[in-house]
Amino acid sequence: MSRELSPELREHIENTIRFLAIDAVEKAASGHPGAPMGLARPAFELWDQHLRFDPSDPKWPLRDRFVLSNGHASMLLYALLHLFGFALPLDEIVRFRQLGSKTPGHPEYGETPGVELTTGPLGQGFAHGVGMALAGRLARARFGVGGEGPGHHHVYGIVSDGDLMEGVSSEAGSLAGHLRLGNLIYLWDDNRISIDGPTSLCFGEDVAQRFEAQRWHVQAVDGEDPFGLRRALAAARDERDRPSLVITRTVIGRGSPNRAGKSKAHGEALGADEVRLTKQAAGWPLAPEFLIPDDVRAYLAERIREKHAARLEADIQLAAWRKRNPAQAQAWDAARERRLPTDLASSLCAGLDGKSDATRKHGAVVLERLAAVAPYYVGGSADLAGSAAPPVLKGRGSVGPGAAAGEDPFAGSNLHFGVREHAMGAITNGIALDATFRPYCGTFLIFSDYMRPSIRLAALMRVPSIFVFTHDSIFLGEDGPTHQPIEQLDALRAIPNLSVWRPADGIETAMAWAWIARHSGGPSLLALSRQTVPALKREAPFQPEDVLRGAYCVQDPGPTPRVVLVATGSEVALACDAAGKLRAEGTAVRVVSMPCVSRFLAEPVEYQLRLIPDDDTLIVAVEAGRGESLRRFVGRRGLVCGIDRFGASAPVAALAEAFGFTPDAIAARVRQQLAG
Ligand SMILES: Cc1ncc(C[n+]2csc(CCOP(=O)(O)OP(=O)(O)O)c2C)c(N)n1
């Protein structure tokens, strides 16, 4: 550890952080100076003395993670990243919040070296960090047994009042305490101010008692007391079986004569006069802006060297671990490289051709097979494993108190999220961000609404979370309109970077999983049926690989059909039956199955037009949902057979009749359109 800082140098460094934030917000005329000013001392203490990282390699797998859940305080993070030598030049700080800069308004994963996850929607950083900590414990149980190897890092975070007000932090906090994630340490920025004024307006709970009740280890410190904070963080690390909350009392806008402690400090530039007064009060030069004094640079240069040296030391230990534990090291590498057998697709498809079943049940079979060859798959459901949404993997233990007696509670692969969809999505993303495991999670498709913020963040970050949703249409039946998705498929398909798969039978389900297993450029989603669907009878020259193109011909009368029926999921078999009726009357009908709209749209336009011509062929889309995302294919004269109202509680056959999803009803609508 480096020499002890003099109080003067410490203050100098903290003021550098404060004035970098102040100057950047002032120049951009946009941003949040208050939290960086109040947090400069605790954040610097954390980064300087506690956080393990190597600025020359922000992805070093053994690093501690740092989550700034109150992402609006992004200038705090950017200042720290710059000062600690990450590849974030001062120019980028000067260009804070400008188009194309590495310092966007809120921390964005993949845009800025050292930013561990995208934060901004309050509460999400808190919940994602729980996933990162869980991934760390899962890694330790598999690879880091005996105190060496991977999985021994900590996940640190700063969370704000807003984070703790958001419900997702309660869900995630509950699970973190229940799972005993002792590797998770959050500082709560207890500044008692939010945008509309003092938090006493709306936030009166006893936060310490809340977290104690959730089985956290809770301490309180004065944010201006670095040694108190140092002791608290050391005690938090010593606490192995409980996550830690360090209640850190701070003053928003600290150092500003007229803004400190006021909500005005939260999200407005201080203004030229107040910047001058603040600099004068701190004895800081008025010019130049974005000043980093020499003594600050010198101290940090030494710390950067020390942190890099500590990393090299850790690498030596890791190499020794590799030698001593070749099988574990090999499994760790296989997981991180997401190794898969070359015959994955055919092994996932085996025996499913010609087999009629619900696609959720096909999905369960396929996931078992996938996890058998790729043991780094971990996941679970929000209390719906019994509905295969997704299932509990056989022969793999449960994570947490459900683990078998004598087993490490993190050795299993089955996660039990409880009825906590919001946190489930975020925790799944956190596991994906850790980059050791490939996580999946699921529930009924309707409850994707509860997970939309996390799904959107996964898409924004392009992390490979897998969302498995079942009961994907009104054909779940008697549970009725509260459980029947209508607009969800369209809404999910509208999220950029998210691949939404709605397979029609066992082969499509297996091929969708095969594609997802090899896709690391963003999240994937499966929408699976509750009800049994018939195995499709596909015409030659069909190959299972055709499914990977997002759409393909199931039945084709030749190059010039009169009608093309485009259907997804459980409606493909229905379209085939309707086509049979029309063909019997002499109408040439092609049936196209479209399990993944975005995949199909990524195909060359020639392929798209070969399936769905852009001439006077009648195109009819069939989907037991709103169906708006298929309208682009049908043109002005085409037809979407979808649903434009909420569902109803009834047996499946009665719903099909009432909502027009019978072969006769579809054929009749096609006839009418042709006549029309
Ligand atoms: C989910 C969500 N809702 C609302 C906002 C807008 N917002 C940004 S900061 C904030 C509250 C600020 O209070 P606090 O968390 O205490 O931050 P501080 O004032 O300490 O900077 C709000 C409502 C947001 N970022 N995310």
Side-chain angles (χ1 to χ4, degrees):
M1 194 59 70
S2 62
R3 69 200 147 91
E4 191 50 64
L5 275 171
S6 68
E8 294 73 29
L9 181 55
R10 175 186 295 281
E11 179 88 8
H12 224 191
I13 297 171
E14 294 159 356
N15 278 337
T16 305
I17 295 169
R18 289 190 188 101
F19 288 114
L20 282 175
I22 288 169
D23 287 344
V25 171
E26 205 62 24
K27 182 153 199 310
S30 167
H32 301 77
M37 293 165 76
L39 281 165
R41 175 156 288 182
F44 173 66
E45 167 65 21
L46 173 59
W47 277 58
D48 186 44
Q49 298 293 318
H50 305 269
L51 203 66
R52 225 161 61 127
F53 59 91
D54 177 7
S56 69
D57 182 5
K59 296 275 178 206
W60 175 41
L62 306 191
R63 71 193 183 280
D64 290 330
R65 272 57 167 182
F66 173 75
V67 174
L68 183 73
S69 190
N70 47 338
H72 59 271
S74 59
M75 259 316 302
L76 174 70
L77 181 53
Y78 299 144
L80 288 164
L81 288 170
H82 173 70
L83 292 173
F84 277 99
F86 285 79
L88 188 68
L90 192 59
D91 282 359
E92 296 288 346
I93 302 233
V94 176
R95 298 202 312 123
F96 177 54
R97 291 192 158 212
Q98 303 309 302
L99 190 66
S101 79
K102 288 186 180 175
T103 52
H106 292 81
E108 287 181 35
Y109 180 71
E111 296 294 327
T112 315
V115 168
E116 298 281 5
L117 86 114
T118 297
T119 52
L122 288 165
Q124 290 288 342
F126 184 117
H128 278 65
V130 172
M132 290 178 177
L134 176 54
R137 291 296 286 109
L138 294 171
R140 193 192 306 174
R142 283 160 179 73
F143 315 115
V145 180
E148 54 172 5
H152 293 279
H153 59 276
H154 284 84
V155 177
Y156 294 95
I158 295 178
V159 303
S160 68
D161 302 316
D163 285 305
L164 299 193
M165 289 185 215
E166 290 288 354
V168 69
S169 68
S170 289
E171 289 185 16
S174 167
L175 203 53
H178 188 73
L179 290 176
R180 301 168 169 266
L181 297 179
N183 56 345
L184 181 65
I185 302 173
Y186 284 161
L187 305 186
W188 168 32
D189 180 24
D190 178 18
N191 65 23
R192 301 179 194 181
I193 290 289
S194 64
I195 294 178
D196 284 353
T199 52
S200 57
L201 287 171
C202 56
F203 192 49
E205 72 207 34
D206 185 326
V207 171
Q209 281 193 29
R210 163 180 153 190
F211 278 83
E212 270 161 13
Q214 289 191 335
R215 302 177 197 284
W216 285 55
H217 168 230
V218 179
Q219 304 173 81
V221 297
D222 178 349
E224 289 302 307
D225 172 9
F227 302 105
L229 198 69
R230 193 169 297 181
R231 283 190 297 276
L233 286 171
R237 277 193 300 277
D238 285 345
E239 174 61 55
R240 308 231 137 208
D241 287 331
R242 287 180 296 171
S244 279
L245 184 76
V246 182
I247 300 173
T248 311
R249 185 78 178 95
T250 68
V251 176
I252 194 166
R254 179 195 176 280
S256 160
N258 298 302
R259 297 274 174 102
K262 299 191 179 134
S263 57
K264 229 175 150 36
H266 161 86
E268 278 176 45
L270 296 185
D273 289 346
E274 191 63 17
V275 171
R276 183 171 41 77
L277 292 175
T278 308
K279 286 187 175 174
Q280 281 168 348
W284 200 257
L286 297 181
E289 292 168 345
F290 302 97
L291 172 67
I292 302 176
D294 289 343
D295 58 342
V296 173
R297 280 228 182 274
Y299 175 81
L300 286 160
E302 188 185 327
R303 293 297 291 128
I304 292 164
R305 267 195 303 278
E306 285 169 350
K307 291 212 182 249
H308 183 62
R311 183 258 163 89
L312 296 180
E313 180 61 34
D315 277 355
I316 293 169
Q317 287 167 16
L318 190 69
W321 165 80
R322 280 184 179 282
K323 270 218 166 102
R324 276 194 292 273
N325 304 277
Q328 284 177 352
Q330 150 89 1
W332 189 54
D333 292 339
R336 295 183 63 81
E337 290 163 20
R338 306 251 155 77
R339 278 186 216 150
L340 292 164
T342 47
D343 66 345
L344 179 72
S346 58
S347 67
L348 297 185
C349 285
L352 296 183
D353 199 10
K355 195 164 188 270
S356 299
D357 208 340
T359 52
R360 68 187 164 122
K361 295 200 176 149
H362 288 308
V365 170
V366 172
L367 179 58
E368 283 284 354
R369 292 176 182 177
L370 176 57
V373 294
Y376 49 84
Y377 272 72
V378 297
S381 79
D383 201 37
L384 286 171
S387 297
V392 166
L393 295 175
K394 296 181 201 114
R396 305 279 190 97
S398 284
V399 171
E407 273 254 321
D408 184 318
F410 296 95
S413 304
N414 291 303
L415 306 178
H416 299 277
F417 291 101
V419 193
R420 298 185 185 93
E421 293 85 358
H422 292 286
M424 175 169 75
I427 289 170
T428 298
N429 291 348
I431 297 172
L433 283 159
D434 173 87
T436 308
F437 300 93
R438 187 84 202 266
Y440 57 88
C441 68
T443 175
F444 295 162
L445 181 59
I446 193 71
F447 303 131
S448 64
D449 284 354
Y450 273 39
M451 301 171 61
R452 205 173 156 85
S454 315
I455 297 174
R456 187 174 192 276
L457 276 179
L460 184 54
M461 295 189 279
R462 290 182 176 274
V463 294
S465 301
I466 305 171
F467 303 104
V468 182
F469 295 122
T470 64
H471 299 56
D472 71 344
S473 74
I474 57 166
F475 296 123
L476 61 83
E478 293 84 345
D479 271 334
T482 57
H483 284 50
Q484 292 166 334
I486 298 293
E487 73 281 18
Q488 279 64 31
L489 280 169
D490 285 336
L492 290 162
R493 287 185 186 127
I495 298 179
N497 307 338
L498 174 66
S499 304
V500 177
W501 289 85
R502 187 170 186 246
D505 70 353
I507 291 295
E508 284 197 10
T509 306
M511 292 308 292
W513 265 113
W515 185 87
I516 290 167
R518 296 203 189 279
H519 178 64
S520 57
S524 301
L525 185 154
L526 280 155
L528 303 173
S529 73
R530 174 185 186 242
Q531 78 278 22
T532 296
V533 289
L536 296 180
K537 292 190 187 66
R538 302 171 180 88
E539 290 172 0
F542 170 78
Q543 300 284 329
E545 284 67 29
D546 296 347
V547 176
L548 306 181
R549 307 190 81 167
Y552 64 95
C553 285
V554 180
Q555 299 177 350
D556 196 2
T560 53
R562 180 73 194 89
V563 178
V564 176
L565 295 181
V566 180
T568 77
S570 49
E571 285 68 70
V572 181
L574 169 66
C576 290
D577 290 347
K581 290 186 180 287
L582 293 163
R583 261 198 301 269
E585 299 160 8
T587 309
V589 183
R590 174 184 293 164
V591 177
V592 169
S593 175
M594 192 179 288
C596 183
V597 174
S598 59
R599 273 296 313 129
F600 179 61
L601 290 173
E603 286 291 315
V605 74
E606 298 76 43
Y607 179 74
Q608 295 184 31
L609 288 173
R610 205 174 340 133
L611 258 58
I612 306 175
D614 190 14
D615 51 22
D616 58 359
T617 311
L618 173 64
I619 316 291
V620 177
V622 187
E623 182 167 87
R626 199 79 172 82
E628 284 303 317
S629 43
L630 304 179
R631 191 171 294 283
R632 68 195 309 157
F633 301 111
V634 308
R636 303 278 282 215
R637 285 171 297 103
L639 181 69
V640 174
C641 299
I643 302 174
D644 59 4
R645 58 190 160 118
F646 292 112
S649 171
V652 170
L655 289 168
E657 209 51 64
F659 285 82
F661 285 89
T662 61
D664 282 333
I666 301 288
R669 290 190 71 181
V670 171
R671 262 183 235 118
Q672 199 182 3
Q673 196 76 6
L674 282 173

